[in-house]
Amino acid sequence: MGLGDVTRAGVLAAVDECRRLGRETFLRRHGFGRATTYELVLNGNHYDSKAIAGVAHLYSVGSLLSADDFSGGARTVAHRLHALGFTVTDGTTVADRPAQVPPQLVLQPRGGVRDRGTQNFAKSVRRGIRLADIRDALGEQADALTALYPDGIARLWGSTPTTQTNNEKVRALRNRRVGDDVLFYAENHFIARARILHLFTSRPVAQKVWGSNEDQDTWEHIMALGELEEFPTPVLAAPVLRQLDVPVPLRSLTLRSAEKYSGVAQLLPGRRQLVPPEPRTPLPAASPEFTARGLLDRIGSLNTHRHSESKAPSRHQPLSLLWAVSRIAAGKPRLAPWSCFRAEVSPLLAEFGLPGSKVTPEYPFWHMQRSGLWEVHGIQSDAGPMPQVGIFNRVQPVAGLTHASAELLKDPLTRLEAVAKLCSTYLDDVDQRELLSQVGLAGYTSADGLLDEDENGHGGESAAAERAAGPTARRESTSSRLVRNAAIANQVKELYGHACQVCETRLQYKRRPYSEAAHIRGLGTPHDGPDELSNLLCLCPNHHVLFDGLEIFIDVDGFVRHTHGGDSLGRLNRRTDHQIDEAYLHYHRTLCEFNRITQQ
């Protein structure tokens, strides 16, 4: 696959995404720098031709062409865009641009288990913080962060204040600046790099994001970050630190000059081309915030036509939306070409559509635009009420969830509620478990979700095919597994003295206490729960099985109840120093209710 697979519809979809996100966010999200020479010109706006082409490939055939996969010259990107009927101009050259100040280097310890470094990095840097969740604490920073993160997800990191006057940390806090690079340090390695987009001090924001430590300090000196790169292979820190004249191991926030930084560049992974924070294309006017509640309301009020004989609402749109939600859960592009939609949705319509209804994927592909959840690119808006299938086949338009809808559905709870809404409103007469399995959402049938092969020691092999006399045969396999934090699992067990929080049973196994750490919102797909103490319970094996099997849940008053019948098993034992996140309990309750309905 290459630039020859890029379609006009894919380019239009990429341009629309750039316009909606803003130039800086679009480039940062997909790993591109600004155009050095050639720019795509459309409706009077200029776009970075190479970035547009790479993302257009994602929407044309399903895979992103990264900046390293192809060149952006006249015979490559410009030639392909010209062939698709677009205008490409020789834009501003490098020589015309103002010189950029080289970045300094900020060395940032991530912290360990005691100060929740691992969890905080995953929460506020890797996944990011929803600005909507901290809106009441932002104050005067609201406008700056909203402009920096048009997608509403901010990458934040902070430092506690210090009473010293001129130590390494004080100098770093005082002299770091926007545009500097940050290297995150953990366990004797550098694990990630990011760029400072904004600096500010805010105790309310820090408390909202990270809370306070035992001394009631919080990380109030805050960096807003962009261009995050987590190194596939962590970089051994000692050689870098020694060359920077920094004691090993790294103990404190430390700043080194741009000249020093350039001297260790060869020891670090190569950096992608710098993306300046100023977007050249104007951002679209702000629209009323689209919320999860609004998303669910629109899902529940689809304009489905009635079948001529049964008068029942058609299932074409709900099935298509369920397919689209599954793409978000699997991390696939929100938009897909017509050929992909037709090939994957048609079998769903044939098996789970109304009896006797025709398989016409072109209708939901086009008409779901009316829902406000869906968009189509590549066909003129004046193409009529329903373009002919031949036009779809020839033009290969792309369609899928709107950017706002897709962003909301990345939240596991919103995604679960959307699946439950579709199934309970439109699909209650079908085998929902089979449907979820076929569409790629089988993980909703258990609280743990779909774990990687052999995660629990089950490989799923067909034993009958491999039985033989003598010792059990073995075979080599390669698998990836979720990396669980054993220290946190042990912590929750020790908090309760290995007593089950449901029945208070203390088991002994091989003369040692035995209990199990159960994740409330599972780690597996599609739950994608975090591995942190607030998402863990200490349970005996029996209640762990029932909890993961969605047979018991914890109600809003803290009582453990059977999913079927609602009988109470008593109040959950909770220690005051074990802060369980209510959001995770709400997610598990919603999952139990959904499975109760699907099993009826």
Side-chain angles (χ1 to χ4, degrees), residues 332-350:
K332 295 179 180 178
R334 64 185 177 92
L335 302 177
W338 159 245
S339 58
C340 174
F341 180 91
R342 179 184 57 196
E344 296 183 8
V345 173
S346 293
L348 299 176
L349 304 183

Side-chain angles (χ1 to χ4, degrees), residues 172-186:
L173 290 174
R174 182 175 61 237
N175 296 321
R176 61 186 177 176
R177 62 196 181 206
V178 171
D180 288 346
D181 277 353
V182 181
L183 278 181
F184 283 93
Y185 173 91

Side-chain angles (χ1 to χ4, degrees), residues 487-514:
I488 297 175
N490 290 333
Q491 185 178 355
V492 75
K493 296 175 185 180
E494 292 169 0
L495 276 173
Y496 294 92
H498 293 273
C500 176
Q501 288 181 251
V502 175
C503 63
E504 300 191 12
T505 298
R506 285 183 170 86
L507 296 175
Q508 291 285 322
Y509 178 68
K510 294 184 178 180
R511 300 183 180 180
R512 294 182 180 180
Y514 180 82

Side-chain angles (χ1 to χ4, degrees), residues 32-312:
F32 285 90
R34 65 179 295 175
T36 56
T37 305
Y38 294 99
E39 294 180 322
L40 169 67
V41 182
L42 188 64
N43 298 326
N45 288 318
H46 291 246
Y47 301 90
D48 302 282
S49 59
K50 185 174 181 180
I52 292 295
V55 178
H57 193 273
L58 174 70
Y59 292 140
S60 300
V61 296
S63 61
L64 177 75
L65 285 180
S66 71
D68 298 329
D69 289 335
F70 66 109
S71 64
R75 297 183 179 181
T76 52
V77 170
H79 176 76
R80 182 57 183 165
L81 294 176
H82 277 306
L84 293 172
F86 294 102
T87 299
V88 180
T89 63
D90 186 346
T92 305
T93 63
V94 175
D96 296 326
R97 299 198 191 101
Q100 295 172 336
V101 177
Q104 302 176 104
L105 183 60
V106 179
L107 304 174
Q108 175 67 67
R110 185 201 61 188
V113 173
R114 181 176 177 274
D115 49 6
R116 295 178 55 84
T118 305
Q119 297 95 317
N120 286 338
F121 182 86
K123 173 184 177 182
S124 65
V125 178
R126 180 182 296 130
R127 296 196 300 270
I129 300 297
R130 284 166 45 91
L131 292 177
D133 294 340
I134 59 172
R135 185 72 60 187
D136 58 340
L138 287 176
E140 63 184 12
Q141 299 299 325
D143 290 342
L145 292 179
T146 300
L148 280 173
Y149 303 105
D151 57 355
I153 306 295
R155 266 70 185 179
L156 303 178
W157 194 258
S159 299
T160 56
T162 176
T163 58
Q164 301 296 317
T165 58
N166 197 33
N167 62 5
E168 284 281 11
K169 182 175 182 178
V170 170
R171 291 192 293 272
L173 290 174
R174 182 175 61 237
N175 296 321
R176 61 186 177 176
R177 62 196 181 206
V178 171
D180 288 346
D181 277 353
V182 181
L183 278 181
F184 283 93
Y185 173 91
E187 299 173 350
N188 301 316
H189 289 79
F190 289 118
I191 61 170
R193 174 170 50 197
R195 177 151 289 148
I196 299 177
L197 303 180
H198 182 54
L199 292 166
F200 64 101
T201 300
S202 173
R203 185 174 178 84
V205 171
Q207 288 181 321
K208 192 82 171 181
V209 175
W210 302 292
S212 302
N213 62 20
E214 56 189 16
D215 297 323
Q216 299 306 306
D217 289 329
T218 187
W219 297 359
E220 59 192 66
H221 297 289
I222 301 173
M223 300 181 289
L225 302 172
E227 301 179 57
L228 173 68
E229 302 172 69
E230 292 194 62
F231 301 144
T233 302
V235 177
L236 187 63
V240 179
L241 294 175
R242 292 192 185 99
Q243 195 158 331
L244 291 171
D245 297 323
V246 177
V248 180
L250 181 67
R251 299 289 188 188
S252 170
L253 181 72
T254 302
L255 179 70
R256 286 297 180 262
S257 68
E259 182 180 6
K260 286 276 191 181
Y261 185 13
S262 65
V264 297
Q266 76 278 5
L267 302 178
L268 301 169
R271 179 104 210 191
R272 293 189 186 275
Q273 183 180 355
L274 173 66
V275 180
E278 303 83 15
R280 287 191 53 186
T281 52
L283 295 176
S287 57
E289 187 174 3
F290 186 40
T291 64
R293 179 51 49 197
L295 173 81
L296 296 174
D297 288 344
R298 292 187 186 184
I299 288 176
S301 57
L302 296 175
N303 185 20
T304 56
H305 73 275
R306 301 281 172 170
H307 192 272
S308 58
E309 297 179 2
S310 67
K311 303 301 182 182

